């Protein structure tokens, strides 16, 4: 069930190129809405989607597009933060089993991504991170969650950690699925990259990462579907032939004004490293907050980070799990194992939500 007025959805949508002005263009809020609807058709649990009004966070009227599943259940809620360039629709194979008919699950489109508002963020890395964290905290306050399990994938894992450092009293358990932004920059990698590749990289450095998708206009969906067919295949076990809607959804999420991308870019240095890596700050996180790292066995992320943090925190409530035959998109590559593991974590030290 969706609770949103079309005028609100259309006012939030921000087309980013002249393509979006053509009535025959496949780039619009209605196309994004329809792609998301197709994905949520596979969700069996009672759910609703709606905008949560944050008020002034980055701009005057920021709104977060939110999925709420089984909100009447009483066990510890789970909050899901997606990765870079994604949105709540990509959790379509996870929310049923993570909820397991006993706990509420919430997922949000991060500010600047998906169907959420597209405000102009600061260009200062520290301020950008603060804006993201403030948006998550304001969202929590509006949803009226007291304490929850926070699960973030990739860039969402970075933001989940930043939030947990600032608001540890709200986090019952921090789950980091193949998180981005933890290791320090490896200066030696630059020496191994050919000079021509460096030239291309620095020539395109001023562009946002997904600019080709927007530049291609209505042909951007073809680019996503064909160049990232590997992502579509991850969803075939559940979506079958309809897995092509994943390409449509990702395209529609990223065909808008790229304010979230710009914010992410301001946090990045070199070849995709975080300017302020979490490995240098994780000691600020309250040691009473349990952490579970979930890596895909074949991920390109540095899996040693989880073990390093476990040692640094003296094995204090830190676990590192590896899911076989999975890559960076661990929540989709082996979604059944991922869902089972998250459900198992959720069953530990359950907090019952008090009736209001």
């Amino acid at each position: 069930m969706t609770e949103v007025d079309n005028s609100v959805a259309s006012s939030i949508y921000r087309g980013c190129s002249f393509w979006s002005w053509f009535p025959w263009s496949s780039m619009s809020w209605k196309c994004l809405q329809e792609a998301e609807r197709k994905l949520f058709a596979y969700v069996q649990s009672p759910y609703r989607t709606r905008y949560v009004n944050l008020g002034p966070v980055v701009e005057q009227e920021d709104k977060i597009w939110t999925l709420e599943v089984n909100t009447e259940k009483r066990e510890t809620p789970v909050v899901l933060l997606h990765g870079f360039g994604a949105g709540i629709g990509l959790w379509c194979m996870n929310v049923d089993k993570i909820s397991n008919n006993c706990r509420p699950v919430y997922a949000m489109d991060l500010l600047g991504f998906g169907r959420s508002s597209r405000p102009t963020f600061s260009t200062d890395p520290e301020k950008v991170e603060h804006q993201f964290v403030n948006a998550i905290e304001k969202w929590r306050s509006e949803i009226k969650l007291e304490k929850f399990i926070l699960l973030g994938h990739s860039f969402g894992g970075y933001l989940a950690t930043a939030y947990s450092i600032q608001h540890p009293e709200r986090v019952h358990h921090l789950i980091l699925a193949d998180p981005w932004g933890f290791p320090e920059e490896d200066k030696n990698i630059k020496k191994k990259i050919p000079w021509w590749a460096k030239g291309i990289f620095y020539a395109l450095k001023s562009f946002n990462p997904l600019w080709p998708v927007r530049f291609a206009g209505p042909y951007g969906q073809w680019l996503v579907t064909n160049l990232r067919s590997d992502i579509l295949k991850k969803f075939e076990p559940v979506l079958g032939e309809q897995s092509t809607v994943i390409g449509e959804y990702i395209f529609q999420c990223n065909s808008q004004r790229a304010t979230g991308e710009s914010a992410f870019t301001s946090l990045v240095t070199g070849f995709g490293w975080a300017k302020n890596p979490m490995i240098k700050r994780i000691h600020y996180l309250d040691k009473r907050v349990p952490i579970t790292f979930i890596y895909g066995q074949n991920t390109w992320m540095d899996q040693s980070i989880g073990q390093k943090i476990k040692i640094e925190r003296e094995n204090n409530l830190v676990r590192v799990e590896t899911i076989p035959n999975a890559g960076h998109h661990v929540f989709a590559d082996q979604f059944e194992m991922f869902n089972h593991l998250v459900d198992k974590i959720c069953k530990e030290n359950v907090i019952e939500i008090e009736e209001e």
Side-chain angles (χ1 to χ4, degrees), residues 2-16:
T2 300
E3 296 181 4
V4 60
D5 184 88
N6 285 347
S7 62
V8 175
S10 61
S11 67
I12 290 175
Y13 183 86
R14 291 288 181 271
C16 68

Side-chain angles (χ1 to χ4, degrees), residues 84-85 207-215 250 254 261:
F84 174 78
F207 292 90
N208 284 314
L210 297 177
W211 69 268
V213 172
R214 289 177 292 278
F215 181 78
I250 293 173
N254 295 290
E261 276 182 59

Side-chain angles (χ1 to χ4, degrees), residues 211-337:
W211 69 268
V213 172
R214 289 177 292 278
F215 181 78
Y219 305 101
Q221 184 172 325
W222 182 90
L223 281 178
V224 173
T225 302
N226 287 274
L227 298 182
R228 292 311 310 266
S229 59
D230 58 309
I231 296 181
L232 276 62
K233 289 179 181 178
K234 301 175 192 299
F235 291 82
E236 284 183 354
V238 172
L239 275 60
E241 294 181 357
Q242 293 297 314
S243 62
T244 54
V245 75
I246 293 293
E248 179 184 351
Y249 177 73
I250 293 173
F251 166 65
Q252 294 296 340
C253 281
N254 295 290
S255 64
Q256 300 179 63
R257 188 167 164 241
T259 65
E261 276 182 59
S262 296
F264 172 78
T265 302
S266 70
L267 299 172
V268 174
T269 186
F271 290 85
W273 305 92
K275 288 181 179 177
N276 193 7
M278 282 297 167
I279 191 67
K280 296 167 64 176
R281 297 187 277 157
I282 196 69
H283 61 277
Y284 293 121
L285 176 59
D286 192 317
K287 292 195 183 232
R288 291 171 292 183
V289 177
I291 308 173
T292 298
F293 289 87
I294 303 178
Y295 290 104
Q297 180 185 23
N298 303 318
T299 183
W300 45 270
M301 292 291 183
D302 184 355
Q303 298 182 54
S304 68
I305 290 295
Q307 294 294 344
K308 288 177 182 176
I309 291 174
K310 184 175 182 177
I311 293 171
E312 288 179 8
R313 290 173 74 88
E314 299 176 346
N315 297 317
N316 188 22
L317 303 175
V318 178
R319 292 191 305 185
V320 181
E321 304 281 353
T322 301
I323 293 183
N325 302 314
H328 178 56
H329 294 88
V330 59
F331 66 94
D333 287 323
Q334 296 293 338
F335 65 96
E336 290 178 331
M337 283 189 276

